[in-house]
Amino acid sequence: MHDFQNTAWWAVLWSLIKIIIVVVPLLLGVAYLTLAERKVIGYIQVRLGPNRVGFRGSLQPIADAIKLMFKEVIIPTNANRFLFLAAPVLAFVPALLVWAAIPFGPGVAISNMNAGLLYVLAIAGLGVYGIIVAGWASNSKYAFLGAMRAAAQLVAYEIAMGFALVGVLMVAQTLNLTKIVEAQAGGGFWSWYWLPLFPFFLVYFISGIAETNRAPFDVAEGESEIVAGFHVEYSGMAFALFFLAEYANMIFVSLLTTVLFLGGWYAPINTPLLIWIPGIVWLLLKTAFLLYVFLWIRATFPRYRYDQIMRLGWKVFIPVTIAWIVVVGVALETPLRAILR
């Protein structure tokens, strides 16, 4: 009995250590992603971006965090106080929970789940509840409009994302994220799933941009139309939690796209020099590139109209993914299956 208790305590302690190892760099990454965004967009628009706090603005995220910590959280008079304060937590917690199943290398994950892909889909879909609750609890018409937009947008693009992941599941024959990466090993970047499943790759990544309410799909916030959408009444750390959730989800979508379609931790070319580089470096480099695409798109495209966003999700992405599922299914029953696998 004593040995069992020791083993149980050690398992709990080891799990906590793994959670800290993942969450602390994630929160630092979120903080400095905000700086990277302002710098990248500044350079694209021929501006300097933040350059006053620290060396070339390197301490700006810390200054922003301190500022938000000391700002007053103002609760509107007629708001539902409990739900108003619970909404940021409902948005932020799923953005952290999804990382439990993400592999960072062979066997390197908080939990190497056999149904990891299913877990990720289930938890990622919970984040919208925070947005909907925030819009309703604020007792504000603009916030409520933003929440309704977010709910409709989530339904449209969550379906397309789900179908895109079905394609990966059909080819990999597993829900385990580590095994999905291992199925892409051996042939360099041309053996990764982005090539045979290119429509799924595009649909998943673009839907990920829509799911995170990033430009040009940011109608849930739409500051030129509904002030700031669902978080218009929030300030201080309550607002910061929505901010943290959005950027954590950006990193998550980029990393999951890397795992599913870009070979995870494998080098793009199988040469001794590149294989010598640790897998985690390749994983982070690919993720960083996709994050740069997030920022590049925000600096380049104007916001879509709401009807255009709905049309793209329902009339383009969903039919395309369904059609490609049929194509992949047929291909898997022919000699082409050797190319897909």
Side-chain angles (χ1 to χ4, degrees):
M1 181 66 180
H2 185 67
D3 290 340
F4 173 78
Q5 288 179 335
N6 286 339
T7 304
W9 276 110
W10 171 245
V12 171
L13 180 62
W14 177 233
S15 296
L16 288 174
I17 291 170
K18 289 193 288 185
I19 289 169
I20 291 169
I21 290 172
V22 171
V23 170
V24 172
L26 173 64
L27 294 179
L28 285 173
V30 165
Y32 277 89
L33 181 56
T34 63
L35 176 64
E37 178 173 38
R38 295 166 73 180
K39 283 288 190 183
V40 166
I41 294 175
Y43 291 142
I44 289 174
Q45 297 173 348
V46 198
R47 297 184 287 106
L48 291 177
N51 65 347
R52 297 298 182 191
V53 186
F55 177 69
R56 294 190 176 180
S58 59
L59 298 179
Q60 185 67 49
I62 297 172
D64 290 339
I66 293 171
K67 176 188 72 174
L68 286 167
M69 284 178 190
F70 288 97
K71 270 192 169 183
E72 182 182 2
V73 176
I74 300 171
I75 302 175
T77 305
N78 294 320
N80 184 312
R81 184 182 181 87
F82 174 75
L83 291 178
F84 185 86
L85 295 174
V89 179
L90 286 174
F92 181 63
V93 170
L96 296 182
L97 290 178
V98 288
W99 291 87
I102 296 296
F104 298 92
V108 182
I110 294 176
S111 177
N112 186 20
M113 303 180 191
N114 285 329
L117 189 57
L118 197 61
Y119 169 84
V120 163
L121 265 177
I123 299 298
L126 296 177
V128 74
Y129 289 106
I131 295 174
I132 294 171
V133 170
W136 185 85
S138 297
N139 193 35
S140 164
K141 298 298 185 291
Y142 283 147
F144 189 68
L145 279 172
M148 291 301 97
R149 286 181 173 192
Q153 187 170 313
L154 175 97
V155 171
Y157 287 90
E158 192 82 20
I159 294 170
M161 286 180 80
F163 282 147
L165 297 183
V166 166
V168 176
L169 173 61
M170 290 170 66
V171 176
Q173 298 288 298
T174 179
L175 286 166
N176 186 299
L177 293 173
T178 300
K179 291 179 180 177
I180 289 174
V181 176
E182 291 171 349
Q184 301 174 67
F189 69 90
W190 52 86
S191 69
W192 300 344
Y193 286 158
W194 73 273
L195 194 55
L197 304 179
F198 189 70
F200 289 143
F201 170 58
L202 276 184
V203 168
Y204 180 80
F205 187 64
I206 296 171
S207 296
I209 298 173
E211 288 280 290
T212 52
N213 290 315
R214 296 287 300 177
F217 300 97
D218 57 341
V219 291
E221 299 172 23
E223 67 274 1
S224 62
E225 307 157 19
I226 51 176
V227 189
F230 64 92
H231 58 63
V232 66
E233 302 292 350
Y234 283 87
S235 59
M237 283 307 295
F239 167 77
L241 286 178
F242 283 119
F243 207 62
L244 287 169
E246 178 178 319
Y247 283 82
N249 283 326
M250 283 173 60
I251 298 173
F252 165 71
V253 167
S254 299
L255 200 145
L256 188 61
T257 305
T258 299
V259 165
L260 296 176
F261 296 100
L262 299 179
W265 49 82
Y266 290 113
I269 301 174
N270 287 335
T271 63
L273 180 63
L274 296 183
I275 293 175
W276 175 79
I277 298 172
I280 187 68
V281 174
W282 288 117
L283 185 71
L284 294 178
L285 283 175
K286 296 170 190 176
T287 303
F289 171 74
L290 293 176
L291 284 170
Y292 174 74
V293 174
F294 263 93
L295 309 183
W296 185 9
I297 288 172
R298 178 179 175 182
T300 307
F301 288 95
R303 181 182 295 121
Y304 292 144
R305 292 198 318 268
Y306 189 67
D307 63 298
Q308 291 174 323
I309 291 176
M310 289 294 101
R311 187 185 309 121
L312 181 65
W314 286 107
K315 294 186 177 180
V316 178
F317 282 179
I318 292 176
V320 164
T321 50
I322 292 173
W324 206 252
I325 284 173
V326 174
V327 170
V328 170
V330 171
L332 288 173
E333 299 301 320
T334 68
L336 289 173
R337 66 185 301 163
I339 298 174
L340 292 173
R341 293 183 182 175

